[in-house]
Amino acid sequence: MPERRTVALVTLGCARNEVDSEELAGRLAADGWELVEEAADADVAVVNTCGFVEAAKKDSVDALLEANDLKDHGRTQAVVAVGCMAERYGKELAEALPEADGVLGFDDYADISDRLQTILNGGIHASHTPRDRRKLLPLSPAERQEATDVALPGHGDIAPAPEDLPEGIAPVSGPRAPLRRRLGTSPVASVKLASGCDRRCSFCAIPSFRGSFISRRPSDVLGETRWLAEQGVKEVMLVSENNTSYGKDLGDIRLLETLLPELAEVDGIERVRVSYLQPAEMRPGLIDVLTSTPKIAPYFDLSFQHSAPGVLRAMRRFGDTERFLELLGTIRGKAPQAGVRSNFIVGFPGETEADFAELESFLTGARLDAIGIFGYSDEDGTEAVSYDSKLDADVIAERLEHLSRLAEELTAQRAEERLGETLEVLVESVDGEDGAVGRAAHQAPETDGQVVFTSDEGLVPGRIVVAKAVATEGVDLVAECLEGAAT
């Protein structure tokens, strides 16, 4: 009988990382590893790191150190770093953090089982030297689909799946479809629509370690969604670095408008949500599909980042306050209850007091449901690192604090505007002490608010109910189920 090998995956960062972790889990389970929830119960703790901004990198390092502490008084024998931070820094991270027994890049994912076994046995797998992953795929988007030798987390690879997969592992449905094993029981799951990004925002390093943009084929996205529905998933959230570019490398930039209705028709799926939309790439047809298709959430995760035109140009982005407000007006003209969220950077090099005031004015008029505010920080390898007119750290901190307070007030006001609305709420958890909690169509998991029910009678996770918003708790809504309105 084979020796029992246990592994735990600790995931930090965004929903894209969550999908990558479930791909790793699928590969490991298919090769006989036993997946456990807690790192303390595992022979190997795999930390899927985030390398986006300094705060996220610090959280990743802290998670690795915390897992390393388990080696002194628990079952854990090895701690391995994977994910964006591991890919971005490779050998540098390994040298700076000797507590990690291995630092694995994306190219190691296809052989993750062998890599972990080597490390568990006391061997050493050399950490990779980071490289610009944008150069791995052809410059022409149309030629990228043929580059099957490039590792694309969440896309799988060209190796065939084992013939007899353990129960609960997604089968391969195409040449780049991954093995996947769910790591939780939530009725919500993310589906990767694409990887990488062709935009060159001056503050962002993601394209350098995630690579150029490449879409997954619609058949693979549909196949994975059907499998998730069989696992009890009721809502799928489409994720990538830029969903509005989906299909451009497949010869049809409007492919998302075609795919969304097909996903909505998958048996068992009650809601489809699209995240990560670029305002400059929003098309009238896409807005129409998102606001009028049954089971497609009228939800717009728009990456504004700022609204002052001078700052946006320095960021290598497009738009301005007027255009952004017009876009929001168009969306709400078609779907008044549509949900909108966005992130913003304050203190970008050269941001004047007038620029900051314009951003503040935009937020006040935009009526966003959720707002993320970040203070600018230099990121290795980005164009903005070389910019002059850097703001003092105390100025950035002051503006960050001011706008964060304003954002909290504005999103609470937006929640109050929804009082009396009839909501379709997906019940996500029912706890005897905390009651029942769910999310309406305008609320994405993790990043936005939630709906707290006045009673949990008859509610079970995964059920869609019709409810009325009767009160607010900050950005959260309190709602009561309407009699006979369960769906």
Side-chain angles (χ1 to χ4, degrees):
M1 185 175 181
E3 182 181 354
R4 180 173 181 252
R5 302 176 300 175
T6 56
V7 60
L9 287 123
V10 180
T11 306
L12 294 94
C14 64
R16 299 184 294 276
N17 255 16
E18 294 173 5
V19 177
D20 293 350
S21 285
E22 294 197 346
E23 177 191 344
L24 292 174
R27 293 178 184 275
L28 291 167
D31 202 45
W33 289 78
E34 180 181 340
L35 299 165
V36 296
E37 291 187 11
E38 301 296 332
D41 299 327
D43 297 316
V44 183
V46 177
V47 180
N48 192 348
T49 61
C50 178
F52 182 38
V53 293
E54 285 303 318
K57 287 182 278 190
K58 181 181 182 302
D59 289 343
S60 295
V61 171
D62 289 345
L64 287 163
L65 293 174
E66 182 178 341
N68 182 69
D69 289 342
L70 297 173
K71 291 191 290 188
D72 295 330
H73 49 77
R75 178 188 178 102
T76 309
Q77 300 175 51
V79 176
V80 176
V82 299
C84 291
M85 188 176 180
E87 173 64 34
R88 185 176 181 183
Y89 295 104
K91 290 181 178 180
E92 181 181 344
L93 176 61
E95 293 169 358
L97 197 69
E99 291 85 353
D101 299 287
V103 176
L104 305 181
F106 297 153
D107 292 332
D108 292 306
Y109 281 21
D111 300 308
I112 186 67
S113 179
D114 290 342
R115 299 288 189 264
L116 295 191
Q117 189 63 61
T118 296
I119 294 168
L120 185 60
N121 291 342
I124 297 175
H125 178 70
S127 303
H128 72 288
T129 300
R131 53 183 174 167
D132 189 339
R133 296 191 72 87
R134 290 172 294 190
K135 298 178 180 178
L136 301 183
L137 290 168
L139 184 62
S140 168
E143 298 176 4
R144 293 174 188 166
Q145 292 289 327
E146 304 305 319
T148 55
D149 59 338
V150 178
L152 300 169
H155 290 236
D157 55 37
I158 59 176
E163 292 184 3
D164 298 319
L165 289 175
E167 184 178 351
I169 298 179
V172 169
S173 59
R176 285 187 181 275
L179 298 175
R180 179 172 180 175
R181 172 72 174 265
R182 295 212 70 205
L183 293 174
T185 59
S186 170
V188 183
S190 296
V191 174
K192 188 165 285 190
L193 196 62
S195 284
C197 185
D198 286 343
R199 301 183 72 88
R200 295 295 180 263
C201 301
S202 61
F203 57 84
C204 183
I206 289 176
S208 66
F209 57 85
R210 276 288 185 179
S212 297
F213 184 89
I214 183 167
S215 305
R216 292 182 68 198
R217 294 190 177 277
S219 58
D220 290 344
V221 177
L222 281 163
E224 189 168 343
T225 299
R226 293 188 185 102
W227 175 79
L228 287 168
E230 293 170 359
Q231 304 299 306
V233 170
K234 298 299 179 182
E235 176 181 327
V236 293
M237 183 168 72
L238 302 181
V239 299
S240 76
E241 278 73 24
N242 178 10
N243 282 331
T244 35
S245 283
Y246 180 69
K248 74 174 189 178
D249 52 323
L250 296 172
D252 185 0
I253 190 60
R254 294 178 176 81
L255 193 55
L256 184 56
E257 287 97 300
T258 303
L259 177 61
L260 284 172
E262 294 184 63
L263 291 170
E265 292 176 1
V266 171
D267 288 343
I269 296 299
E270 299 296 336
R271 180 185 291 160
V272 178
R273 184 183 305 276
V274 184
S275 62
Y276 307 116
L277 301 169
Q278 288 292 339
E281 298 180 25
M282 289 301 296
R283 304 174 292 276
L286 180 56
I287 295 174
D288 288 342
V289 170
L290 288 171
T291 55
S292 64
T293 308
K295 295 189 177 181
I296 302 296
Y299 176 81
F300 294 80
D301 179 7
L302 295 165
S303 178
F304 288 127
Q305 301 299 344
H306 212 282
S307 71
V311 176
L312 286 167
R313 300 307 171 269
M315 290 178 168
R316 303 293 185 197
R317 297 179 65 84
F318 304 94
D320 53 45
T321 296
E322 183 178 357
R323 292 180 188 178
F324 290 165
L325 291 176
E326 287 178 357
L327 174 59
L328 294 174
T330 298
I331 291 169
R332 291 177 174 137
K334 295 178 180 293
Q337 292 185 342
V340 186
R341 81 166 323 276
S342 191
N343 293 324
F344 300 87
I345 298 174
V346 298
F348 193 79
E351 181 190 63
T352 64
E353 291 186 3
D355 293 330
F356 183 71
E358 180 165 355
L359 176 56
E360 184 176 357
S361 176
F362 170 71
L363 288 179
T364 303
R367 297 170 54 234
L368 303 179
D369 291 279
I371 301 171
I373 306 293
F374 300 88
Y376 172 79
S377 62
D378 283 339
E379 285 298 317
D380 300 333
T382 62
E383 181 183 349
V385 169
S386 65
Y387 283 4
D388 296 327
S389 304
K390 297 280 179 66
L391 276 64
D392 291 339
D394 57 345
V395 173
I396 296 176
E398 181 181 346
R399 292 182 181 181
L400 175 63
E401 181 181 1
H402 174 79
L403 212 63
S404 295
R405 286 200 307 267
L406 176 63
E408 187 175 349
E409 295 173 3
L410 292 173
T411 51
Q413 291 173 14
R414 178 65 181 134
E416 291 177 356
E417 290 179 15
R418 292 190 178 276
L419 289 176
E421 280 190 10
T422 299
L423 312 167
E424 287 192 355
V425 184
L426 173 63
V427 181
E428 291 196 344
S429 64
V430 179
D431 185 282
E433 295 182 2
D434 299 329
V437 174
R439 287 179 303 99
H442 69 279
Q443 299 167 319
E446 306 297 336
T447 57
D448 303 345
Q450 60 186 12
V451 173
V452 180
F453 289 95
T454 56
S455 170
D456 61 5
E457 183 178 356
L459 299 181
V460 294
R463 185 184 183 194
I464 295 268
V465 298
V466 178
K468 181 179 179 179
V470 296
T472 64
E473 295 178 354
V475 71
D476 297 336
L477 296 177
V478 178
E480 60 182 20
C481 290
L482 299 180
E483 186 175 356
T487 62

